[in-house]
Amino acid sequence: MSNQPYEGYDEGYDPYAQQRQQPQQAQAWPGHQQAYDDPQAAQQYTQQWQGQTWDTQVQQTRPSASDLAYFPPQNYQAAQQSHDPYAQPPRPEVPEAQASTGEGYGPPSLAGNARITDAQRARLEGRSPIIEPGMQPAGLTAVLALLLSVTAQVGSYALVVPLVVLQAVTAAGWFRLNGMWPARQGIALAFAGALVADVALLAAGRENGPAAILGTLGVWVLLSLVMQLRSHADPDTRITSLMATVASAALAIVAAGHLAADPDAVTVGAAAVAVAILARALPLPTVASVVVSLLAAAGAGIAVGGMTGMGAKGALLGAGAAVCALIGHRVASYDYPSRFVHFTAGVALPLAAAAPAVYLLGRALV
């Protein structure tokens, strides 16, 4: 056999080259070959997915310096992880300077923090929770006391006019002093009791004064109880309102003791209260101011007692009335009262508290 190629043979010819260059087509099922040849018919065999898509590659971006400029620097402390399901979350730490701001609120907490009053803050800081009314309320007290002193010599019906003003201011001031405002029903009830006591005294006379005052007071305590029993407030609120109503009515009714007392005793006692309260308002230390007030009241009692025929006995009456007036003045100064308290309770309580002393000492000395 000859090794020479036959005629027409091409050494570079590759019979499988064309087959390698053509893409391999997937073998179709005999029945589906026609469907793949038709594009429209092929769609019914093609699965089409419709729905939202998302990018699986998360691009992390770093904030620029201009973006960070809008946020203040903060100091975060990582809380320690605890496996206890009942563990309390950590509370934020507040600087001491921020916790004692002048807004009247304590440090924030997750459970809430009630507002502390000025009196509580004063006690925590070691200060006295007492602010005295000052000279202006003392001047109003002196004017009202002088009106009582003068009208007592005129007659009972003239004395009723400044007495009614005193009782109205007493009823309103006591509720405001206890932080209960507006308390229209309680104020109206206390003032109505005072008016009933005045009418009873005018009708029964001075000799039956204690019966008229105590009887009115007992009836008004029962009325206060009935009014609070019909209230739909919670028990604590009803108890507080009951105590304030009874105390306000008692003070307003007891102030009617000026009408039941002897006219000379009312004149001496009211003048002594006016002088004592003015002396108490002077810018002096507390102890010195109290001593000066009592001495001034005793001196006024002697002076006015000489004009009414009581003589030196007026000193004892004036000093006794001044002691009760200073107690009322002290009560009106308690628990950081407002300006409204100073011009109501601060004006009326000294005279209302002095009424029992004026009545008792007047009966004993005149």
Side-chain angles (χ1 to χ4, degrees):
M1 179 179 295
S2 177
N3 295 329
Q4 297 293 329
Y6 60 89
E7 184 178 1
Y9 176 77
D10 188 3
E11 295 181 356
Y13 174 74
D14 187 2
Y16 300 100
Q18 185 177 3
Q19 185 177 0
R20 289 196 299 267
Q21 293 177 359
Q22 294 179 357
Q24 296 182 0
Q25 297 180 357
Q27 294 182 359
W29 287 44
H32 295 171
Q33 181 64 36
Q34 184 178 1
Y36 280 104
D37 294 339
D38 188 1
Q40 297 181 357
Q43 293 181 357
Q44 62 181 347
Y45 299 99
T46 305
Q47 294 182 356
Q48 298 181 359
W49 297 88
Q50 296 181 359
Q52 298 180 355
T53 61
W54 60 88
D55 189 5
T56 58
Q57 296 181 357
V58 180
Q59 297 181 359
Q60 297 182 357
T61 59
R62 300 181 61 183
S64 61
S66 60
D67 295 334
L68 295 177
Y70 292 96
F71 297 92
Q74 305 203 8
N75 184 13
Y76 295 98
Q77 295 181 356
Q80 297 181 358
Q81 298 292 336
S82 175
H83 298 285
D84 187 4
Y86 301 99
Q88 296 291 335
R91 295 186 177 182
E93 297 182 359
V94 181
E96 183 179 357
Q98 182 179 358
S100 61
T101 56
E103 298 178 356
Y105 293 89
S109 63
L110 297 178
N113 190 10
R115 184 184 185 276
I116 64 173
T117 62
D118 294 333
Q120 293 173 345
R121 182 185 296 108
R123 293 188 184 96
L124 292 176
E125 296 177 358
R127 296 183 288 108
S128 175
I130 293 176
I131 294 180
E132 297 177 357
M135 185 57 71
Q136 292 181 355
L140 294 177
T141 302
V143 171
L144 188 58
L146 291 178
L147 288 176
L148 290 173
S149 179
V150 172
T151 55
Q153 297 297 321
V154 176
S156 298
Y157 290 96
L159 180 61
V160 168
V161 177
L163 180 61
V164 169
V165 176
L166 171 63
Q167 291 168 333
V169 177
T170 301
W174 183 260
F175 276 95
R176 188 63 184 90
L177 181 63
N178 287 268
M180 303 176 65
W181 188 266
R184 299 181 181 90
Q185 293 182 355
I187 294 173
L189 183 62
F191 182 59
L195 293 180
V196 170
D198 295 341
V199 173
L201 280 169
L202 292 175
R206 287 190 174 92
E207 60 277 3
N208 297 319
I213 293 176
L214 294 178
T216 306
L217 184 58
V219 172
W220 247 249
V221 169
L222 293 178
L223 290 178
S224 301
L225 286 172
V226 172
M227 186 181 70
Q228 295 304 323
L229 288 176
R230 298 184 59 185
S231 176
H232 298 286
D234 58 278
D236 294 338
T237 303
R238 282 188 291 179
I239 290 297
T240 304
S241 179
L242 174 62
M243 298 304 296
T245 304
V246 171
S248 178
L251 288 171
I253 294 173
V254 167
H258 292 290
L259 188 60
D262 185 82
D264 293 340
V266 175
T267 301
V268 174
V273 170
V275 174
I277 295 301
L278 288 175
R280 184 67 179 85
L282 296 176
L284 297 173
T286 303
V287 177
S289 177
V290 170
V291 173
V292 171
S293 299
L294 293 178
L295 293 177
I302 294 175
V304 179
M307 293 184 295
T308 58
M310 290 187 65
K313 297 179 181 179
L316 181 59
L317 178 60
V323 169
C324 295
L326 292 179
I327 293 175
H329 182 272
R330 182 74 171 182
V331 172
S333 307
Y334 183 70
D335 204 4
Y336 272 82
S338 63
R339 184 177 178 85
F340 186 82
V341 174
H342 284 163
F343 282 93
T344 53
V347 172
L349 284 184
L351 284 170
V358 170
Y359 174 80
L360 295 176
L361 292 176
R363 287 180 62 90
L365 298 176
V366 177

